[in-house]
Amino acid sequence: SQWGEENLQALSIQEGEDVTMNCSYKTYTTVVQWYRQKSGKGPAQLILIRSNEREKRSGRLRATLDTSSQSSSLSITGTLATDTAVYFCATERSSAGNKLTFGIGTRVLVRP
Amino acid sequence: EAAVTQSPRNKVAVTGGKVTLSCNQTNNHNNMYWYRQDTGHGLRLIHYSYGAGSTEKGDIPDGYKASRPSQENFSLILELATPSQTSVYFCASGEKGYEQYFGPGTRLTVL
């Protein structure tokens, strides 16, 4: 699971397998976003889940949010080699300006 | 499509020199952000802006200044660059409660 000063997690899986990564956050938030960053690129949002949603799906992606334990997960089903990337969770701070606090990420390598 | 561009994409600077990183967005977003990314730290917020003429300090503002002369443009300024500012810098734009759109990044090396 990612957060704070933990080391960047790394997962290596075979193409076609499913993968789940976890995120714990420290302060109250109404929005959790998951971003993917491919090598040499900027992060790009994958999915956004709000505090009134327990689960959200988008294609092969599924995000969950448990506000009581302040944790979220992102699952990818039927991974492809192109899913190889670093995945970040980000929480929106309650103050104005849409400031996000990013976790340190989970590196996923999908072997073809 | 939402677009954030950054220039330069790569920069080598000398210690004590002045560096300006530029960002342009065509999303018409009010909010813009500057982050740096270092191994083991993820993305850390340096400065952000709510709109033209405004700049706010983020989590790690020391050694950096920002300028937002227009809705579209947001610059990050290192007046006296130091080797500890060697990093990859990302600009982003977005609105509260919605995603942030990131640029491709600028790799800065301070020798």
Side-chain angles (χ1 to χ4, degrees):
Chain A
S1 143
Q2 57 174 289
W3 211 252
E5 300 302 316
E6 300 166 40
N7 292 327
L8 176 68
Q9 282 207 307
L11 302 171
S12 180
I13 57 176
Q14 199 70 35
E15 196 170 35
E17 293 181 346
D18 301 343
V19 65
T20 297
M21 51 208 101
N22 300 299
C23 165
S24 301
Y25 54 92
K26 296 177 181 175
T27 56
Y28 173 78
T29 188
T30 57
V31 174
V32 173
Q33 303 186 36
W34 284 90
Y35 286 78
R36 177 173 67 188
Q37 184 176 26
K38 296 195 173 185
S39 180
K41 306 288 187 183
Q45 193 212 55
L46 295 174
I47 199 163
L48 181 154
I49 184 165
R50 302 186 188 278
S51 57
N52 62 348
E53 301 171 300
R54 291 189 61 82
E55 177 182 298
K56 193 162 187 180
R57 293 177 184 267
S58 177
R60 296 183 294 112
L61 306 175
R62 173 178 174 262
T64 66
L65 178 58
D66 184 343
T67 54
S68 63
S69 64
Q70 297 192 153
S71 64
S72 178
S73 70
L74 176 70
S75 299
I76 308 174
T77 57
T79 54
L80 305 170
T82 52
D83 292 325
T84 292
V86 178
Y87 292 80
F88 296 96
C89 65
T91 56
E92 183 171 298
R93 307 182 203 185
S94 57
S95 58
N98 189 24
K99 289 183 289 184
L100 297 178
T101 299
F102 283 83
I104 58 172
T106 298
R107 186 182 301 277
V108 176
L109 171 64
V110 182
R111 303 186 307 274
Chain B
E1 183 175 326
V4 178
T5 57
Q6 295 181 231
S7 63
R9 294 295 315 280
N10 291 281
K11 172 76 176 178
V12 178
V14 296
T15 297
K18 182 177 180 179
V19 176
T20 300
L21 306 183
S22 299
C23 177
N24 177 275
Q25 56 114 351
T26 58
N27 307 322
N28 198 32
H29 288 150
N30 288 317
N31 303 327
M32 294 187 73
Y33 312 85
W34 276 106
Y35 296 89
R36 64 178 283 175
Q37 185 173 40
D38 304 286
T39 301
H41 288 281
L43 287 152
R44 293 184 289 174
L45 182 65
I46 306 170
H47 283 288
Y48 61 101
S49 168
Y50 294 128
S54 92
T55 60
E56 305 288 338
K57 292 180 179 180
D59 299 320
I60 53 165
D62 293 346
Y64 302 93
K65 289 172 55 178
S67 174
R68 181 89 181 268
S70 65
Q71 179 82 340
E72 296 79 20
N73 296 294
F74 191 35
S75 297
L76 185 68
I77 303 149
L78 291 67
E79 294 278 5
L80 295 169
T82 68
S84 64
Q85 294 175 313
T86 292
S87 187
V88 180
Y89 292 85
F90 287 97
C91 176
S93 73
E95 298 293 355
K96 183 173 174 59
Y98 297 92
E99 74 176 282
Q100 289 188 10
Y101 294 87
F102 284 80
T106 294
R107 184 173 296 276
L108 174 66
T109 302
V110 182
L111 302 175

